[in-house]
Amino acid sequence: MSTPGALLKVAGLSVSYGRIEAVRGIDLEVGAGEFVGIIGSNGAGKTSALRAIAGVLAPAAGTVTFDGQALTGLPSHAIVGRGLAMVPEGRLIFADQTVEDNLELGAYTRVGKDDAGVRQDMDRVLGLFPRLRERYAQLAGSLSGGEQQMLAIARGLLSRPKLLVVDELSLGLAPKILETLFPVLVDLNRQGLSILLVEQMASYALQVTRRTYVMENGRILMHGPSAELAGDQRVLDAYLGRQGRH
Ligand SMILES: Nc1ncnc2c1ncn2[C@@H]1O[C@H](COP(=O)(O)OP(=O)(O)O)[C@@H](O)[C@H]1O
Ligand SMILES: [Mg+2]
């Protein structure tokens, strides 16, 4: 089952909060250069799985291997240093700090060691999101929801990740903003960045990703090529609502 070239390999991962078993032994992989999605209802365990992968919380069981090395037990900052960056659910930007300060926090492992590289990367991510360049000196709290999501993505990119993990890109955002955000992820993936995207808006996720895992009640219910799942009756019924039906 295992892909020798897998960048991220999660095996038997479980997460519990006291007696609540949020994630119940999931296996998943992201190949180098792949764009992979996880869809599933609210409470399915998606965020818990991502937080365990990123080292934000300790799993009850299972292993996480990244770029050939075990991540299990490493603190989250060490995991960022290995090349796995997470854009967390709800963005978690620092509202009372400027856009510039928030971006510098994303590069904190390199500030002082590679300042020229950081400046270059800063310029590159601001090129992806011109609206952030216009608002560079403003407090992050004054940005719109869409701009805050751009900032959260840009901050993640500044750690120079091999894998960008995005939890609920669309949360609270208008379709018009999403039409600018999803293509940025698609472009980044085309440039070689591996992406794992958790998304409640399954219709968007299935369009941009190559493979998708469907998660329910802490388990992977099914997985396969996104184009196939987009036509699967169970997926249509459960996640695509009326829009997906003929
Ligand atoms: N900090 C927490 N403490 C206790 N239970 C939690 C906590 N975070 C999430 N849960 C529970 O774990 C389950 C999975 O939640 P979550 O991982 O947030 O799912 P999803 O991201 O798919 O919506 C839910 O039943 C949720 O109520
Ligand atoms: Mg979630």
Side-chain angles (χ1 to χ4, degrees):
M1 282 292 286
S2 139
T3 317
L7 179 61
L8 176 72
K9 190 168 178 331
V10 173
L13 187 73
S14 296
V15 176
S16 295
Y17 304 100
R19 286 163 55 194
I20 301 169
E21 291 185 302
V23 179
R24 304 165 186 235
I26 64 164
D27 298 334
L28 67 85
E29 292 189 0
V30 179
E34 240 194 335
F35 195 164
V36 173
I38 305 178
I39 61 173
S41 323
N42 217 342
K46 305 181 298 296
T47 295
S48 301
L50 293 193
R51 299 186 81 207
I53 291 168
V56 181
L57 57 80
T63 57
V64 178
T65 311
F66 182 70
D67 214 5
Q69 289 183 302
L71 290 188
T72 330
L74 286 182
S76 56
H77 64 85
I79 292 177
V80 173
R82 294 274 177 91
L84 191 157
M86 178 148 84
V87 180
E89 187 175 51
R91 288 124 214 177
L92 310 185
I93 55 153
F94 295 94
D96 59 354
Q97 297 196 31
T98 63
V99 167
E100 177 180 10
D101 291 339
N102 272 274
L103 289 174
E104 277 184 356
L105 282 169
Y108 77 100
T109 53
R110 293 159 53 218
V111 170
K113 287 183 238 162
D114 178 26
D115 287 340
V118 170
R119 263 195 309 278
Q120 223 173 48
D121 287 357
M122 193 81 89
D123 210 52
R124 204 185 117 226
V125 298
L126 291 172
L128 291 174
F129 301 113
R131 284 158 76 166
L132 292 184
R133 199 189 290 280
E134 290 162 22
R135 288 160 176 70
Y136 197 60
Q138 285 183 27
L139 293 182
S142 72
L143 303 180
S144 70
E147 289 162 354
Q148 291 188 8
Q149 187 62 290
M150 292 172 194
L151 179 56
I153 295 168
R155 181 183 56 185
L157 292 174
L158 280 171
S159 66
R160 271 199 194 166
K162 294 176 187 145
L163 175 68
L164 188 71
V165 177
V166 183
D167 194 359
E168 303 289 8
L169 182 78
S170 74
L171 197 72
L173 302 180
K176 206 168 168 195
I177 304 289
L178 298 180
E179 280 155 28
T180 70
L181 281 179
F182 279 104
V184 172
L185 292 188
V186 171
D187 279 349
L188 287 165
N189 175 248
R190 285 202 184 116
Q191 290 162 29
L193 180 67
S194 310
I195 303 178
L196 178 60
L197 171 72
V198 160
E199 185 51 65
Q200 267 198 48
M201 302 267 280
S203 54
Y204 282 100
L206 290 166
Q207 276 175 50
V208 296
T209 56
R210 192 173 80 84
R211 277 192 314 119
T212 294
Y213 293 87
V214 180
M215 201 172 166
E216 279 310 326
N217 293 319
R219 295 196 168 88
I220 304 290
L221 209 63
M222 51 181 153
H223 65 99
S226 304
E228 272 174 35
L229 289 184
D232 185 290
Q233 198 58 47
R234 292 166 296 175
V235 173
L236 288 170
D237 289 344
Y239 308 108
L240 295 174
R242 282 164 179 274
Q243 284 170 326
R245 293 196 187 139
H246 300 288

